[in-house]
Structures are given as C-alpha cells and as structure tokens.
Amino acid sequence: MAVDTVRAHVVSNRSSGRRRTAGRVLNYALLTGAAALVLLPIYMTLVFSLQPGAEALRFPQSLLPTSVDLSVFARVFEVSGLWRYLLNSAVVAVAITIGQVVTSIMAAYVFAEIPFRGRNLVFGGFMATLIVPTEVTLIANYDTIVSLGWLDSYRGLTVPFLATAFGTFLLRQAFMGIPRDLRDAANLDGYGHLGYLWTVAIPLARPSIAALSVFSFLLAWNQYLWPLLITNSDSNRTVQIGLRSLASANVTDFNLIFAGTVIASLPIFALLILFQKHLIRGLTSGAVKG
Amino acid sequence: MIRHFPRPRFVRLTAVLAVGALTVAACSSNGDPSSDSSSDSGSTAPATSPTNTPANTPTTLTEVPVANPTSDLAALCPTTAPTEAVTLDLWHAMPVELGEALTALTASYNSSQDLVTINPVFQGSYDDTLDKYLTALRGGTRPGLIQLEETATQLAIDADSFVPMQACVDSADYSFEDYIERTVTAFTVSDTLWPMPFNISNPILYANAGMLAAAGVTALPTTLEEIRTAAQKVVETGTAPAGITLISSAWNIEQMFGLADEPFADGGNGRVERASELLIENALGLEIFTWMQDMVNDGLATFVGSGDNNEHLIALAVGQAAMTVSTTAALRSVKIGAATFGVEVTVGPMPSAGPRAGGALVGGGALWLDNSTSDAERAGAWDFLTWLTAPEQMAFWHASTGYIPIRRSAIDLPEIAELWVTEPEFKVAYDQLVEGRETNATSGPVVGNHSQVRSRALVPAIEKLLIEGLDPASALAEATTEANRIIADYTRRLGN
C-alpha cells in the first residue's frame, strides 16, 4: 500500500496508470491461481467429509458436495474417543509451545547479547543438533523416558520437546536485528538484562515469536510416532493416533477419515487466523516506528 | 491417493527405519540361552523345545502340534482355570469396523466371567504395532497379548520375549482337532506353536461379473493363463480399460509359490531350519514375473502400485478394470462398495501359475503371549484365547469381517450357514484354505525380517519389472540378491 501510494504520486500520467492496473490484474490472477492450488486439497478434504463416503470415488469428481451427510461427524466421535484425544493434543501442544517460546527467548538472548568465552562454539553445537533427524534420537529419548518412569503421561509427551535449536536460532537473529542504540538507551534508563529483554527485545521480536509459536504448535499438534510409542491408554493419546484408527477400508466409511481430518485441523486454522493479526500488526508497527 | 491419511509415506518410512534399527536392539539386548541354542542347531526352537513328533528329520508334510503334558514347556503356562482377577492389554492393528468387531468380542468375553479383563488397545498398522512392541522391550510397558502379522513370526521368535503357545497347549493338554490344521501349522516352527492363530485370510480373485459377462467370459479364470485370456476379451470388447489391476504385492507371489507347492525359502521354508535364502530364481518365479510384465506391456493389466490404499479395489469398484486379486479380509468392504456403485462383484479362488499342487498360504495375524506376564495372567490369556477361537466367536468374527473361521465346526453354526447361503462369496476363502495340502511349502515362508524382505527386495523388483521394464530374469535376480542380503544381515545381527 505504502509503496503504491508513493508511486502514484511520482507517476501521474494515464498510460502508465493503465499499465499498472494491467500489472495488478496479472498479479492477482497469478496469486489467485497459486492460492487455489494450495487450497484445493484442503477444500476437497472438506467436500469429502460432507458427502457420503463412496462419493469420493466418483469419477470425474464434482467440486461441490453431491449430497450432504453430516452424521459422519457424530460417527467420528463414536468410533474413536476423539474428544479426549483433542483435549490431550491441546494440552500437549500448548505446553510444548509455551516451553519452546520461553526456553528459546532465554537461550537466544544469551547468544545474542551476552558475550562469553566459547559462545560461538556452544552456539555451533546448538545448531549442529538441527541436522540430527528425530528418528536417531527416538530410541535414546525413549530410554530416558522409561528410566524416568514417564511412559504414558503428559510429562513424557511434552518434556522432550521443551527446547528447540531452531527457535533459539530464529529468535537470536531477531534479537541481533534490534538496533544497538535501543540497547544503549535502555542501559541509560537503568534497565538490566531482564528489563531490556522484557520491555524492548521481546516486543520488537514479536513477529518472530509469533511465527515460532505457530510453528511449535503445528509440529506438536501433528506428532505421530512419539505419542504412539510412549502412550498406551486412550486417556493419554493424541489426536493424530485417533485419526489413524479412522482409516477404514469400507468405501462407505471413507468420509470418516476426512471428517476426522477436518476436526483435527480446526484448531490449527483457528490458531493461524488468530496469530495472523499478530504477525501483521507486529510487522507494520515495526515498519512505521523504524 | 483418493483415501488419504496425513503423512502416510513418512509414517511408512519411519516404520521401516525403526524396524531396521530396533531389530538389532531387540535381538541383541536379549542374549538369553535360548537364542544361543539356535546357533548349534540352526533352528530357532528354544533349548526346552519338546520333541513331540517321532521323526525329527525334515519332512515335507507339516503336522499340527500335539499336546505333550509332560513337556518342559508346560511349566511355563499353568492353564488351570483362572483364580485371581487379572487385566491384560491386547495390542492390535484392527482399524474401524475390524476394531469394532474385535472390541465387541472382548467386551462379550469380559462380561462372560469375572476374573479376566481383556483391554484392547489399537496401535496403528501392523508395522506400527510391531515397532512399538520392539521399542517397549527396552523397558517400556509391554502388553499381555499382541496381534502380529504372519511376517513377524521369525522376528517375534528371535525377540525371545514370548511364551510359546505350545507351553499352554502342553499344559492344558489341548487338542486342535476342530481347528483347520493349516492355520495352526502356519504358526508352528520346529514343532512348536508360537502364537494363537486369530484373524486368518488369504487372497482371492475379485471380478466384476457384469463386465466379464459382457466380454463373453463364462467361467471365472483360475490360472494366470486363463486370466490373460479373459483380460484379452475384456480389452478387445472395450468393456473396461484394463482386464485386471496388478499391485506390487509380495504376498501374492508367495501365495503362488504355495499354490504350486514350491517352497519360497530354504530350510523347508524356514520351518525346519533357519532360512538363509529365497528360492524364487526358478522356472516358477520366471513364469510369474514374465506373465506380469507381459500383461502390462500388452495393455491387458494396469499396475497401480502398492495397493496400500486399496487402489486396485477402487479401480474394480469404479469400472476401470474387470478383475483384481486381494485379501479376503477386504470382502465385506468390497461388497459394500460394489453395492454402493451398483456393481456386481463375484469372487473366485486365488489364481495359480500352473496346476494347483499345493494350497493357498495362511495369511493374516495371530495373538502372541508376552513372557512378562505372571502365571495368573498366562492362565487368563489362555482362557481368553480358547474362548476367542471357539466356534461361536469365530462365526461372529467371520460374518462381521470376512476373516476365515478357523474352526471346522464353526461353519455348521447358523450364523455362517445362513451367511454362506445369502452371500456365498464368503465361502471361497474357507474352501481354498481347507483344500490345500499340508506341506512346508503351503505353510508359507518363515524368514527373519520378512517384512523387509517384502518391502525392500520384492516390491522394488516388481516395480522395476512393471514400471521400468527391467527383464524378468534380472528383476528376479535383483530381488533374490537383495532379499538374501537382508536375511544374512538379520541373522548376523542376531549374533549367530
């Protein structure tokens, strides 16, 4: 918007204005096409969940539900104890998100602002953990959880994921991007590390923190292998395992898994919509204040 | 593709990786004497294995294990009627309607008596369930009972964490007289019955009756040659785009070896001695591979990949092909799908490469008894297992799922008798199973890391054969080399 306004002032003759309109139409057409491509699978999941299961096999597939059968949403809860799974996923994902954000902020601040001997080496070690795939640490983590007696518990589901090298890296970059002058000004005002972190660094890094929160929540919510490994009772299982039990071979039940997927993705969508505001507000306020 | 599940590829991949990694762990952390015993005999039976059969020499005919109340094993499983209350977790891999049927059975058992409570816990796919169990061997919570696929047999024996069912059989002086022998022998290795057979299936031919009639095919094909002829008619008359859909199923290949009464692996299909290599580089293997490739090249068959998401059954339901081969366990689902689409589906026995000298293999799953259980729990588990495989329960299980009833007397019960009159398709798999001869070849291969032999050796070879056009002989050779490497690797990791 801002750029457009500036350009409108500078360029005022009509032909270039028309060219600009044409460019904008092309832009929107391309963006609409790309958005449709990204949204189509999500949209079809919704369509498949609304219509009777066997309709998913109709060829050619209609883009609108041929008939609407909402009873499947009730059946999803009948077949698997999805309420409990959703609750468990929510508790686990929120705990992991809060944990990751807090630990990342603290670690990132140290790496960005507090010089100490061997800092780069320690940070390099942090980054190195990023190249180790989850599968490699799976067994070691399992052994730890077993010896702590944390199998089949919220602790076992959350504690191994409370710290993240990626989040630390992301926030360190954000903190380092804050102008040195602000740091000095805060110092003059008598702020220590915590004061500066709380009143200056965190508010300015809000877009990054919002991005990290969404990302952490998404990963925690979508976990499958780990919760499957360490939980045994329905009272501790998460939603992705519940979804697995909905994968029916009956064509008439094909809509079960789609309905389950829709239900399981609702929190993710809610979160994105909620945080979208934050992300944009954070970005624009940063741009104006400089 | 059509029926999608979040990240299936990732899940499958990690499952494979985990099995690979965990196999070592599971096997090396259990260095008990019983795994040592396999080093000198080359077999997998524990040192305490009973010698029930008079002739211990390798024979072609496999026999149902006989109870031997005085065997050393019997002490492992006291089967007196349960006296104290116990609760056993049952880990299983039965989704949705199969899971509902299983839960109905356990609930019925739980309310039929006061002492034993069976708690079914769904653990994902067969691979997920096995992975989870192998991980749990590292000190985690283990179930009392676990349902494993037939490919897990060797791995489960080597894990050294199960009470062989033979122990309970001996102690209870149990008779398998009424069981279909083959379902019992399939899980018997070196004269020891390991798990209790439960959900038993085999592959059958599914066909679109309307299409075959329209193409002028009067009788259901029973051999590969007849399938080719029927497919030609279907394609030539333009009835369907393809005569048959093929999937990269190693199970189907194993089945054709069973039908021809040829062993799939050495060591008497791994039942007399530990198997070290596959025996598929021969005339039969070549015939099957050549047939598959020719069918696809001549436009008579469509290759639809793994079939993991029922692509082949969907193709049948929507009229893209006139025939396919799939497990009997899908029968109920296929019938529902066919009714939905107004297609008349007919089923026949699994087609064979040549004459049916042997029989269809026993596929499906069985229930294993974990050895972390107490005596009371073992007694409870045995009580449950004998109840579960009783004719009444087998009749219910068969009618609600399509899995084969493993008791002979079950078929006289009204539930099955009536079902077979109204829906005779359900009888095909049963007939095919009882018709088979009892040999090591028809009992099916028992191979270490069988699931990887399938997924990493046979499936890739079939894909190369049908997608890249690799010649049948080379594809067979590649499959054999890779499979033998996997088996050798597995055996080496066991440390003997």
Side-chain angles (χ1 to χ4, degrees):
Chain A
M1 278 297 261
V3 176
D4 279 354
T5 332
V6 173
R7 207 191 283 156
H9 281 294
V10 176
V11 190
S12 57
N13 82 56
R14 298 183 80 175
S15 76
S16 84
R18 213 174 295 138
R19 206 183 304 141
R20 207 189 56 202
T21 316
R24 191 184 277 180
V25 167
L26 186 71
N27 258 345
Y28 274 102
L30 281 175
L31 288 174
T32 310
L37 219 67
V38 171
L39 290 177
L40 188 68
I42 300 171
Y43 171 74
M44 288 317 288
T45 305
L46 188 67
V47 170
F48 286 154
S49 73
L50 291 176
Q51 61 189 13
E55 294 298 311
L57 301 186
R58 291 266 180 235
F59 192 80
Q61 180 65 48
S62 144
L63 281 179
L64 293 171
T66 46
S67 57
V68 173
D69 171 19
L70 291 177
S71 63
V72 68
F73 286 91
R75 186 158 149 72
V76 162
F77 289 98
E78 255 168 53
V79 173
S80 73
L82 214 62
W83 280 124
R84 180 73 209 191
Y85 298 157
L86 283 166
L87 175 75
N88 290 338
S89 278
V91 170
V92 168
V94 166
I96 289 179
T97 306
I98 294 174
Q100 291 200 347
V101 168
V102 170
T103 56
S104 295
I105 286 176
M106 297 197 293
Y109 184 79
V110 171
F111 284 128
E113 296 289 341
I114 305 176
F116 60 90
R117 189 191 284 269
R119 183 170 78 167
N120 287 340
L121 198 70
V122 176
F123 186 67
F126 244 70
M127 290 301 97
T129 62
L130 280 176
I131 60 169
V132 181
T134 334
E135 287 75 16
V136 173
T137 51
L138 198 69
I139 300 296
N141 278 346
Y142 185 85
D143 285 351
T144 311
I145 294 301
V146 167
S147 58
L148 290 171
W150 286 1
L151 277 184
D152 210 17
S153 71
Y154 281 161
R155 281 174 300 184
L157 286 168
T158 50
V159 172
F161 305 100
L162 289 185
T164 153
F166 166 76
T168 308
F169 174 73
L170 187 78
L171 295 188
R172 171 183 175 266
Q173 298 311 105
F175 290 155
M176 286 173 74
I178 297 170
R180 187 75 215 161
D181 297 346
L182 288 179
R183 160 100 252 194
D184 295 340
N187 276 347
L188 283 177
D189 284 345
Y191 282 120
H193 281 302
L194 277 180
Y196 168 72
L197 177 66
W198 189 249
T199 52
V200 181
I202 290 180
L204 286 181
R206 206 162 57 187
S208 298
I209 294 174
L212 174 64
S213 307
V214 173
F215 188 72
S216 301
F217 190 89
L218 208 68
L219 280 189
W221 186 267
N222 285 338
Q223 280 198 74
Y224 177 74
L225 198 56
W226 179 256
L228 179 73
L229 269 185
I230 73 152
T231 60
N232 291 316
S233 56
D234 276 350
S235 56
N236 283 316
R237 293 214 141 161
T238 56
V239 72
Q240 305 300 340
I241 303 174
L243 281 189
R244 187 72 178 81
S245 68
L246 294 175
S248 169
N250 267 357
V251 287
T252 47
D253 275 343
F254 272 17
N255 48 356
L256 265 184
I257 183 85
F258 291 112
T261 309
V262 167
I263 295 170
S265 13
L266 285 180
I268 299 285
F269 283 120
L271 191 83
L272 282 177
I273 292 166
L274 207 76
F275 268 74
Q276 195 185 24
K277 266 190 209 159
H278 265 280
L279 287 166
I280 291 169
R281 197 187 301 153
L283 282 169
T284 48
S285 70
V288 175
K289 282 177 194 157
Chain B
M1 243 192 276
I2 297 173
R3 213 189 93 207
H4 91 133
F5 163 71
R7 300 175 294 141
R9 191 148 296 180
F10 166 74
V11 169
R12 207 173 309 136
L13 177 70
T14 48
V16 167
L17 288 175
V19 169
L22 299 177
T23 306
V24 203
C27 299
S28 56
S29 63
N30 286 284
D32 281 6
S34 60
S35 38
D36 294 342
S37 76
S38 38
S39 58
D40 18 66
S41 66
S43 82
T44 53
T48 48
S49 163
T51 46
N52 296 327
T53 39
N56 223 3
T57 47
T59 52
T60 20
L61 286 181
T62 317
E63 279 165 24
V64 174
V66 181
N68 174 9
T70 58
S71 81
D72 299 338
L73 269 184
L76 283 177
C77 183
T79 51
T80 46
T83 49
E84 54 177 289
V86 289
T87 299
L88 287 131
D89 281 346
L90 163 60
W91 287 6
H92 69 89
M94 306 272 90
V96 203
E97 60 282 340
L98 302 179
E100 285 176 325
L102 179 59
T103 310
L105 282 172
T106 54
S108 160
Y109 173 73
N110 291 344
S111 58
S112 73
Q113 39 77 48
D114 300 329
L115 289 172
V116 187
T117 308
I118 302 293
N119 174 33
V121 187
F122 176 72
Q123 297 289 14
S125 67
Y126 278 123
D127 277 348
D128 288 343
T129 310
L130 178 62
D131 284 355
K132 171 146 181 171
Y133 180 80
L134 293 177
T135 317
L137 286 181
R138 305 173 62 84
T141 319
R142 284 151 67 175
L145 290 164
I146 180 171
Q147 178 193 35
L148 295 176
E149 205 182 6
E150 92 274 10
T151 50
T153 303
Q154 184 70 58
L155 193 66
I157 294 172
D158 292 332
D160 198 22
S161 63
F162 292 104
V163 178
M165 204 50 63
Q166 187 70 46
C168 309
V169 171
D170 285 353
S171 129
D173 200 4
Y174 195 68
S175 161
F176 284 108
E177 201 179 14
D178 187 45
Y179 289 68
I180 301 172
E181 295 83 2
R182 309 205 34 227
T183 61
V184 184
T185 53
F187 296 98
T188 303
V189 177
S190 302
D191 299 324
T192 305
L193 174 67
W194 281 88
M196 182 64 101
F198 170 53
N199 55 314
I200 299 304
S201 60
N202 55 36
I204 49 179
L205 178 75
Y206 290 84
N208 183 323
M211 282 186 173
L212 287 193
V217 180
T218 44
L220 267 186
T222 57
T223 63
L224 296 186
E225 208 40 57
E226 287 173 19
I227 287 200
R228 190 179 163 90
T229 316
Q232 260 164 348
K233 288 184 183 165
V234 168
V235 173
E236 278 163 14
T237 55
T239 317
I244 186 168
T245 42
L246 298 179
I247 52 174
S248 56
S249 158
W251 192 46
N252 287 350
I253 311 262
E254 289 166 19
Q255 290 286 346
M256 283 191 252
F257 273 76
L259 286 172
D261 200 21
E262 284 200 29
F264 197 74
D266 64 350
N269 245 350
R271 287 171 185 280
V272 181
E273 284 178 337
R274 182 180 284 278
S276 61
E277 53 187 32
L278 296 193
L279 303 176
I280 56 171
E281 258 192 292
N282 50 29
L284 179 61
L286 199 61
E287 185 185 344
I288 298 168
F289 269 43
T290 310
W291 178 87
M292 289 172 80
Q293 192 172 54
D294 288 349
M295 286 291 286
V296 172
N297 285 352
D298 299 343
L300 301 175
T302 309
F303 175 60
V304 293
S306 70
D308 283 356
N309 294 310
N310 300 317
E311 292 88 348
H312 53 316
L313 295 173
I314 290 169
L316 182 76
V318 300
Q320 292 290 306
M323 294 175 278
T324 196
V325 167
S326 191
T327 168
T328 57
L331 184 53
R332 180 53 74 199
S333 311
V334 170
K335 289 209 64 167
I336 294 173
T340 315
F341 286 97
V343 170
E344 195 198 333
V345 166
T346 171
V347 303
M350 166 85 191
S352 59
R356 302 170 87 81
L361 309 184
V362 173
L367 301 175
W368 294 71
L369 174 59
D370 189 89
N371 70 6
S372 66
T373 43
S374 69
D375 281 357
E377 286 170 336
R378 291 175 193 183
W382 175 251
D383 187 63
F384 168 67
L385 291 174
T386 47
W387 177 89
L388 184 68
T389 54
E392 294 74 23
Q393 281 66 253
M394 276 295 118
F396 171 82
W397 181 240
H398 171 64
S400 33
T401 62
Y403 280 114
I404 302 168
I406 62 173
R407 295 293 288 261
R408 290 183 181 279
S409 57
I411 67 171
D412 300 326
L413 295 175
E415 201 166 2
I416 292 188
E418 283 161 22
L419 177 76
W420 286 3
V421 171
T422 51
E423 298 177 281
E425 300 90 343
F426 279 89
K427 191 168 182 290
V428 171
Y430 178 87
D431 288 344
Q432 163 168 284
L433 190 68
V434 292
E435 272 164 18
R437 281 180 71 220
E438 295 269 337
T439 67
N440 283 332
T442 63
S443 296
V446 173
V447 178
N449 230 341
H450 194 165
S451 132
Q452 279 201 32
V453 167
R454 280 184 181 177
S455 64
R456 292 198 180 172
L458 291 162
V459 171
I462 296 172
E463 285 170 351
K464 281 189 183 172
L465 177 78
L466 300 184
I467 298 174
E468 295 171 19
L470 183 69
D471 68 283
S474 311
L476 264 182
E478 271 192 27
T480 312
T481 312
E482 182 60 14
N484 294 350
R485 195 194 59 72
I486 292 170
I487 299 170
D489 195 38
Y490 173 83
T491 313
R492 183 178 54 74
R493 284 173 183 181
L494 281 181
N496 48 46

